[in-house]
């Protein structure tokens, strides 16, 4: 079974990449348990629990990330440098449990996956 990584690099609003990535992630979880989820760059904003998408006429799908554990997706990581650059800390409250890693370790872990999909 192939190991598949999902890398979220886009913010939650202004593009459908996050929602499409989440849909692909949930669909893939029915086929394999070898899934890793990585939040880097502006993708770290996908983890923010309090958002108001209705103010920009967008849909709220962020809370859906919180159900990943129900789909046996428990390998979730966030880039430490991306957090710092955006004024966020590893101790922040997120919509799901993530492990904070330096970018060098994220690169090492991504190298272990057969397929890397970026959203």
């Amino acid at each position: 079974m192939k190991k598949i990584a999902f890398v979220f690099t886009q913010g939650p609003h202004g593009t459908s990449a996050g929602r499409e990535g989440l849909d692909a992630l949930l669909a893939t979880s029915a086929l394999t348990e070898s899934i890793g989820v990585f939040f880097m760059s502006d993708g770290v904003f996908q983890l923010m629990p309090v958002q108001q998408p209705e103010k920009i006429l967008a849909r709220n799908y962020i809370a859906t990330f919180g159900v990943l554990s129900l789909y046996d997706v428990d390998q979730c990581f966030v880039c430490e440098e991306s957090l710092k650059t955006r004024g966020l800390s590893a101790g922040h409250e997120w919509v799901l449990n993530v492990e904070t890693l330096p970018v060098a370790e994220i690169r090492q872990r991504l190298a272990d996956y057969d397929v890397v999909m970026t959203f």
Side-chain angles (χ1 to χ4, degrees), residues 60-110:
N60 188 6
Y61 65 90
I62 302 300
T64 309
F65 277 106
V67 302
L68 290 182
S69 62
L70 298 175
Y71 289 82
D72 294 324
V73 177
D74 54 7
Q75 296 293 309
C76 301
F77 310 97
V78 63
C79 177
E80 182 176 48
E81 287 84 347
S82 295
L83 291 176
K84 287 180 184 175
T85 301
R86 286 150 185 84
L88 302 169
S89 67
H92 198 279
E93 182 181 329
W94 308 116
V95 294
L96 74 147
N97 293 327
V98 291
E99 182 180 347
T100 304
L101 299 175
V103 70
E105 190 167 342
I106 286 179
R107 285 188 187 121
Q108 287 176 333
R109 290 194 186 210
L110 283 172

Side-chain angles (χ1 to χ4, degrees), residues 5-117:
F6 289 83
V7 181
F8 291 88
T9 62
Q10 301 292 314
H13 309 298
T15 176
S16 62
R19 188 177 66 249
E20 291 171 359
L22 180 59
D23 289 345
L25 171 56
L26 294 174
T28 303
S29 71
L31 305 172
T32 182
E33 292 181 9
S34 300
I35 294 176
V37 185
F38 299 82
F39 297 90
M40 302 179 71
S41 192
D42 283 344
V44 300
F45 293 121
Q46 300 282 358
L47 297 170
M48 302 293 289
V50 180
Q51 299 192 25
Q52 299 174 331
E54 65 280 353
K55 298 223 182 213
I56 58 168
L57 304 176
R59 293 189 331 195
N60 188 6
Y61 65 90
I62 302 300
T64 309
F65 277 106
V67 302
L68 290 182
S69 62
L70 298 175
Y71 289 82
D72 294 324
V73 177
D74 54 7
Q75 296 293 309
C76 301
F77 310 97
V78 63
C79 177
E80 182 176 48
E81 287 84 347
S82 295
L83 291 176
K84 287 180 184 175
T85 301
R86 286 150 185 84
L88 302 169
S89 67
H92 198 279
E93 182 181 329
W94 308 116
V95 294
L96 74 147
N97 293 327
V98 291
E99 182 180 347
T100 304
L101 299 175
V103 70
E105 190 167 342
I106 286 179
R107 285 188 187 121
Q108 287 176 333
R109 290 194 186 210
L110 283 172
D112 291 336
Y113 287 87
D114 300 305
V115 177
V116 177
M117 299 178 71

